[in-house]
Amino acid sequence: MAREMILVLDFGGNQAQLAARMIRNAKVYCQVMPADTPLGVIKEKAPAGIVCVGDSKIDIQDSGIAFNSDIFALCVPILAMGSACRALCLAVGGRLDGVVLNNAIRTLNLPETTLFEGVGGAMRRFARADRMILPKGFSVLCAVDGAVLAMTNDALKCTGVQFAPETNDIDSQHLLSNFALHVCRCSPKWTMRVFLEDTISQIREKVGSKKAFMLLSGGIDTSVCAMLMHRAIGDRLHCVFIDNGVLRINEADDVDRLFNDILGVKIQRVDAGERFMTALSGIASPERKRAVFNQMTLNVLKEELEKVNEPCFAVKGTIYTDVLERTPSTTVDKLTGFEGVIEPLAELFKDEVRALGEMLGIPSNVVYRQPFPQMGLIKRCVGEVNQEKIDILGKADSIVRQEIESAGVLRGTYQCFAVISDTKTTCIVDDMVASGYMIAVRAVNIVEQNHAVAARLPYELIERIVERITKEIPGVSRVVYDMTGKPSATVEWE
């Protein structure tokens, strides 16, 4: 039986992904596609309803993104939010007559309809709202300061609002839940339990009696992927974990113990630290470091794949955000000779991956672990790579994480880590003047897509981190705290 679904059409910004996650919170499946998706493709999806959404601040007339009025022929409910509401107005013969609200907060008196139940009287922030001149057939649901902020057309089964979902937005969650469950009459059947059962069946049917091959990084995505594949095909999964010598302290042993001893998933650990460090030694260019690291990873995977010596499928830990953001291909993509590719998590957002991980019995410290770069500590070793810097960085990074966790603020911090560079500064060692490396402590929180701020760690916590690093790690002269946000800086230094 076909799965009920809501289609989200993306008119720009990150609001489409936010809307999709809110719809899935209502236990209704949805997919995100570009606003210019042809009608034929949309028909094949057979959506129960369509949400068109774009960042409120987008000038839709300058964006080049148009509302496809052909979708009215599907005769399904349509909700247009943010800039997509203005695009809808233009598509049906209306006009836009200048900006009325700009970064303004207004209280909306919305009608008590099925769609707006629980949303009436909401206070909203408007990055932008235009004066819309509505065509015949549309009625005003809410207007403030001369701007139509909500409109509807019963014959076309569409409603538009000039606000878009925001992070932790309760009102938009109510609105989208109402749309999916009560306007489109979808059943709340999208759960991780259903996904788990369906995906295991699909994997078994596809793999048959053959084997599967995957690279385990130890991060949340590949860990959940490995557990799911093991649940489906057992020891016919050939799972490779590379100890490349640039992981966090004790991480290789922790991953080995977790999977082989606790979770019962047989993984092949390859100790290749010396090989990686020999190849990377002395390289300072970030692009060159990345190229060498990827080539070394590919070499190890080729060797391990040859050991399988029979037909197998390639497994990738791709998640839905990777699909939507067109994340670059992985090292596994460069291997050849597979029967096919399996991406069992490609429909899931990160929060859904975490929920599935808990269901599969993965410990919470793994499920909720912070992002860690594919290149490991190399990514945080600015300038030339050598064993001395990697050893110092590993110890400093461990202290940063230990202290932030002990202070009870680790779960509330998106990322925290240490960085080392080639910069050396003067210090005092045993009453003698010397020089040592500078360590930078980085802790950030993500506000929204492409926007991060430095975490406001307690001053006493920063003092403890500085004291421990300078006293416990020989070769470090001083510690600084990086307060730069994104933009203008990136989260990682390289």
Side-chain angles (χ1 to χ4, degrees):
M1 186 175 70
R3 177 193 290 166
E4 284 184 327
M5 64 94 70
I6 300 294
L7 182 63
V8 178
L9 295 181
D10 184 1
F11 280 71
N14 69 330
Q15 277 67 19
Q17 290 192 35
L18 286 172
R21 292 173 68 178
M22 289 176 180
I23 292 169
R24 291 192 182 187
N25 285 343
K27 298 181 180 180
V28 175
Y29 181 69
C30 66
Q31 289 184 3
V32 179
M33 301 188 77
D36 60 357
T37 300
L39 180 63
V41 176
I42 295 176
K43 275 185 177 180
E44 291 178 0
K45 297 291 182 180
I50 298 174
V51 175
C52 305
V53 59
D55 193 324
S56 298
K57 63 177 175 285
I58 290 176
D59 185 337
I60 201 67
Q61 291 176 298
D62 291 341
S63 70
I65 305 175
F67 186 98
N68 183 3
S69 57
D70 290 344
I71 63 176
F72 293 132
L74 298 175
C75 297
V76 298
I78 298 169
L79 173 62
M81 304 183 71
S83 61
C85 176
R86 298 191 287 273
L88 167 62
C89 177
L90 293 173
V92 294
R95 291 188 294 111
L96 301 180
D97 191 20
V99 179
V100 178
L101 301 179
N102 190 354
N103 288 323
I105 296 176
R106 293 293 185 272
T107 298
L108 306 189
N109 294 313
L110 296 165
E112 284 292 329
T113 62
T114 301
L115 178 62
F116 293 113
E117 183 180 354
V119 187
M123 183 176 287
R124 302 293 315 187
R125 181 182 70 87
F126 288 87
R128 172 186 177 130
D130 287 25
R131 180 176 284 106
M132 296 191 299
I133 312 302
L134 304 184
K136 185 179 179 180
F138 278 80
S139 58
V140 178
L141 295 176
C142 176
V144 175
D145 298 344
V148 175
L149 301 181
M151 63 181 186
T152 191
N153 185 312
D154 292 338
L156 296 177
K157 302 177 71 172
C158 69
T159 300
V161 294
Q162 281 204 72
F163 59 84
E166 299 175 10
T167 305
N168 300 322
D169 185 347
I170 296 175
D171 292 323
S172 287
Q173 178 67 72
H174 282 315
L175 180 67
L176 290 163
S177 295
N178 289 342
F179 180 75
L181 296 173
H182 305 307
V183 176
C184 300
R185 299 182 182 278
C186 293
S187 302
K189 295 180 178 178
W190 172 253
T191 66
M192 286 303 97
R193 179 63 62 188
V194 171
F195 173 84
L196 177 61
E197 294 171 356
D198 289 348
T199 304
I200 286 175
S201 297
Q202 293 166 12
I203 292 171
R204 288 172 177 168
E205 181 178 355
K206 185 169 185 175
V207 175
S209 60
K210 295 183 174 65
K211 289 188 175 183
F213 180 91
M214 75 169 287
L215 171 63
L216 173 70
S217 70
I220 176 60
D221 298 340
T222 61
S223 294
V224 174
C225 184
M227 279 295 294
L228 180 56
M229 290 298 301
H230 183 264
R231 182 73 63 89
I233 63 173
D235 288 342
R236 285 184 289 123
L237 172 67
H238 190 86
C239 194
V240 177
F241 171 69
I242 303 175
D243 180 0
N244 49 37
V246 291
L247 300 172
R248 289 177 281 206
I249 287 181
N250 298 324
E251 183 161 15
D253 291 338
D254 290 343
V255 172
D256 193 333
R257 188 183 312 109
L258 172 66
F259 282 89
N260 281 319
D261 300 338
I262 299 175
L263 297 177
V265 179
K266 184 180 178 181
I267 66 171
Q268 181 62 46
R269 174 176 173 176
V270 182
D271 293 315
E274 187 174 339
R275 293 170 59 183
F276 272 78
M277 286 308 303
T278 299
L280 288 160
S281 182
I283 298 177
S285 162
E287 293 76 17
R288 182 60 182 154
K289 284 189 281 190
R290 185 180 303 108
V292 170
F293 180 89
N294 289 339
Q295 185 59 54
M296 292 301 300
T297 302
L298 181 62
N299 292 345
V300 173
L301 288 177
K302 283 181 177 178
E303 295 168 6
E304 292 302 310
L305 183 57
E306 290 175 358
K307 296 177 183 178
V308 179
N309 197 30
E310 60 181 277
C312 64
F313 288 83
V315 181
K316 296 166 57 181
T318 308
I319 68 172
Y320 198 35
T321 306
D322 299 327
V323 175
L324 296 176
E325 297 177 357
R326 298 175 176 86
T327 300
S329 60
T330 65
T331 307
V332 175
D333 291 315
K334 298 178 181 178
L335 298 174
T336 59
F338 290 111
E339 296 288 302
V341 177
I342 300 174
E343 298 174 291
L345 307 180
E347 288 186 312
L348 303 185
F349 285 110
K350 180 71 78 172
D351 53 337
E352 293 171 320
V353 174
R354 295 190 197 280
L356 181 62
E358 290 185 309
M359 187 175 296
L360 289 166
I362 299 176
S364 60
N365 66 312
V366 177
V367 169
Y368 292 99
R369 71 176 299 182
Q370 294 185 350
F372 187 58
Q374 178 192 7
M375 291 170 58
L377 295 176
I378 297 171
K379 185 80 171 176
R380 294 161 183 173
C381 181
V382 180
E384 180 180 327
V385 177
N386 59 52
Q387 192 65 58
E388 179 190 23
K389 287 173 67 179
I390 291 296
D391 290 344
I392 290 174
L393 178 58
K395 294 172 184 176
D397 184 76
S398 179
I399 289 172
V400 170
R401 290 184 293 111
Q402 286 172 14
E403 289 299 327
I404 291 180
E405 184 173 15
S406 297
V409 295
L410 183 63
R411 285 285 290 270
T413 306
Y414 176 72
Q415 273 184 285
C416 59
F417 52 89
V419 178
I420 190 171
S421 74
D422 286 332
T423 302
K424 286 193 173 185
T425 65
T426 303
C427 60
I428 305 297
V429 179
D430 296 330
D431 296 326
M432 299 289 291
V433 176
S435 67
Y437 288 105
M438 179 186 71
I439 294 292
V441 176
R442 183 79 159 135
V444 298
N445 284 317
I446 301 297
V447 178
E448 58 185 29
Q449 188 180 36
N450 295 322
H451 186 191
V453 295
R456 296 190 176 186
L457 301 180
Y459 190 77
E460 296 79 8
L461 171 58
I462 297 176
E463 283 185 318
R464 287 198 302 274
I465 291 173
V466 172
E467 183 179 15
R468 284 196 59 192
I469 290 177
T470 53
K471 285 187 175 181
E472 297 178 21
I473 308 177
V476 174
S477 61
R478 67 185 63 227
V479 179
V480 298
Y481 187 60
D482 183 356
M483 288 292 296
T484 320
K486 176 186 178 183
S488 57
T490 55
V491 173
E492 300 285 350
W493 278 33
E494 285 192 343

